[in-house]
């Protein structure tokens, strides 16, 4: 149950800073098990959830720690003002809004970050570097993935963006990778998944071109240097593709794998 009405006397005993009527209304209608942290003066809560209403965080109200999730989807907001400092275990859900960047976004999200359908979002620069589960930036306006966290512990979805490159993609994605042109299954991110997709007969030209932005000579050389046997097998799937032939012509192969 989301709504918790406090008697003023109870509120007086819990608060460390005065709250106005607008702030109290927001907390009592959209926050669960909230309290003022006396050491920070900010609001800690179990859950904050607004159900598809054009509701903004009242001016002067600041959240600290959120235990489970913070959901301000479809609220027509564009500012991170008042958002929690961190969600140590919880998720941040701000889909269908007007965010254009991450200035003021929580720096650490223990759960998932779902910021899909923010059409003003053109870059991931400033995106939290610590995300414990999924990252969903589908239906935004990203042309590349520069600014992505280096590691995604869950799924990474970037469907329906005007992408021209996958530059900046995470080094590690533990779950699935999903864009409009192709999918890479859980556990396959890296050369294994790239070569599987590139060998598909029905792969679109756009999908091919996007994935080739990750298949740089430097990346392939690193794969051969660190794991020559499996890399040779994986690259054999696509060695007849003209762009790959050109890259392989400049690769330094270990002696035992030279023709």
């Amino acid at each position: 149950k989301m709504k918790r009405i406090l008697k003023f006397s109870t509120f007086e005993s819990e608060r460390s800073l005065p709250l106005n009527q607008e702030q109290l209304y927001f907390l009592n209608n959209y926050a669960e098990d909230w309290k003022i942290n006396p050491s920070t003066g900010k609001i800690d809560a179990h859950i904050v959830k607004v159900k598809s209403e054009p509701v903004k965080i009242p001016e002067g109200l600041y959240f600290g720690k959120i235990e489970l999730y913070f959901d301000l989807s479809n609220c027509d907001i564009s500012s991170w003002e008042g958002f929690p400092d961190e969600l140590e275990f919880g998720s941040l859900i701000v889909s269908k809004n007007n965010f254009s960047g991450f200035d003021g976004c929580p720096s650490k999200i223990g759960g998932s970050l779902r910021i899909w359908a923010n059409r003003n979002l053109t870059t991931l620069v400033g995106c939290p570097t610590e995300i414990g589960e999924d990252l969903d930036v589908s239906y935004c306006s990203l042309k590349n993935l520069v600014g992505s966290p280096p590691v995604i512990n869950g799924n990474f979805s970037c469907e329906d963006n005007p992408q021209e490159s996958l530059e900046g993609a995470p080094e590690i994605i533990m779950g699935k990778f999903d864009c409009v042109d192709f999918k890479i299954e859980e556990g396959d991110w890296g050369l294994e998944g790239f070569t599987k997709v590139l060998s598909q007969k029905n792969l679109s030209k756009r999908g091919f071109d996007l994935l080739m932005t990750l298949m740089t000579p430097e990346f392939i050389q690193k794969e051969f240097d660190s794991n020559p046997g499996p890399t040779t097998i994986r690259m054999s799937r696509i060695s007849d593709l003209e762009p790959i032939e050109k890259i392989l012509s400049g690769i330094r192969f270990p002696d035992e794998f030279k023709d």
Side-chain angles (χ1 to χ4, degrees), residues 116-169:
W116 55 274
N118 279 260
R119 288 296 188 183
N120 292 332
L121 189 66
T122 60
T123 179
L124 292 179
V125 173
C127 180
T129 55
E130 295 185 55
I131 298 176
E133 296 178 6
D134 302 336
L135 174 59
D136 191 344
V137 292
S138 302
Y139 308 101
C140 294
S141 298
L142 303 172
K143 292 187 176 180
N144 58 53
L145 299 179
V146 173
S148 297
V151 177
I152 300 290
N153 293 297
N155 301 321
F156 186 14
S157 181
C158 56
E159 288 190 88
D160 197 16
N161 279 277
Q163 285 167 319
E164 299 172 355
S165 167
L166 296 181
E167 179 188 2

Side-chain angles (χ1 to χ4, degrees), residues 49-66:
K49 181 175 177 60
V50 175
K51 297 180 179 179
S52 299
E53 300 177 49
V55 174
K56 296 176 174 60
I57 298 174
E59 184 178 353
L61 187 64
Y62 295 93
F63 286 90
K65 293 185 178 180
I66 302 297

